[in-house]
Amino acid sequence: MENIEKKKRKPRFNQRDRRQEFIKAAEKIFTQKGFEQTTIRDIAKEARASTGLLFSYFKNKESLIMEIVQERKEESLLATKKVLSQNKSFEEILT
């Protein structure tokens, strides 16, 4: 018999992209339904993935919301550093 080599399927997303898709989907659903009313299934559906795949990236929806908060915190810090590096007075920054 011939040795038939199976082709490995290339994933649609790399791990980092897939993780970001879950975060983006969670933000959208949390905004629409609220944190308490959102289920993991809602987030997985929005991200077009299985709940099992979502759980391979995040332990639960609390870990997802913490990741979102961390990202927003980092974005705010970068924006603040950018503004402060402009060497403007506080009054100039506010206007």
Side-chain angles (χ1 to χ4, degrees):
M1 285 191 168
E2 287 183 38
N3 185 8
I4 300 174
E5 207 174 305
K6 289 185 179 181
K7 288 185 178 181
K8 289 187 178 181
R9 290 174 81 179
K10 187 176 181 180
R12 261 184 37 196
F13 297 97
N14 66 36
Q15 285 187 336
R16 182 179 176 147
D17 290 343
R18 178 47 96 178
R19 185 176 178 82
Q20 283 306 118
E21 284 295 313
F22 285 133
I23 291 168
K24 183 179 172 183
E27 280 186 287
K28 180 178 179 180
I29 302 302
F30 289 152
T31 300
Q32 291 173 350
K33 296 178 78 173
F35 180 78
E36 292 298 324
Q37 296 302 313
T38 297
T39 65
I40 287 292
R41 180 173 281 148
D42 295 330
I43 297 166
K45 184 178 177 182
E46 179 65 28
R48 297 183 183 155
S50 68
T51 55
L53 182 60
L54 194 155
F55 279 124
S56 72
Y57 285 84
F58 296 96
K59 183 178 178 181
N60 50 36
K61 69 179 183 177
E62 287 79 6
S63 62
L64 258 166
I65 195 75
M66 293 305 295
E67 185 71 26
I68 292 167
V69 168
Q70 182 63 32
E71 282 190 7
R72 296 300 159 259
K73 180 180 155 188
E74 289 171 11
E75 289 170 5
S76 294
L77 183 59
L78 288 174
T80 300
K81 286 181 178 181
K82 183 179 177 182
V83 167
L84 293 176
S85 70
Q86 295 175 0
N87 293 324
K88 292 183 178 180
S89 71
F90 188 67
E91 187 176 86
E92 291 173 312
I93 291 170
L94 294 178
T95 56

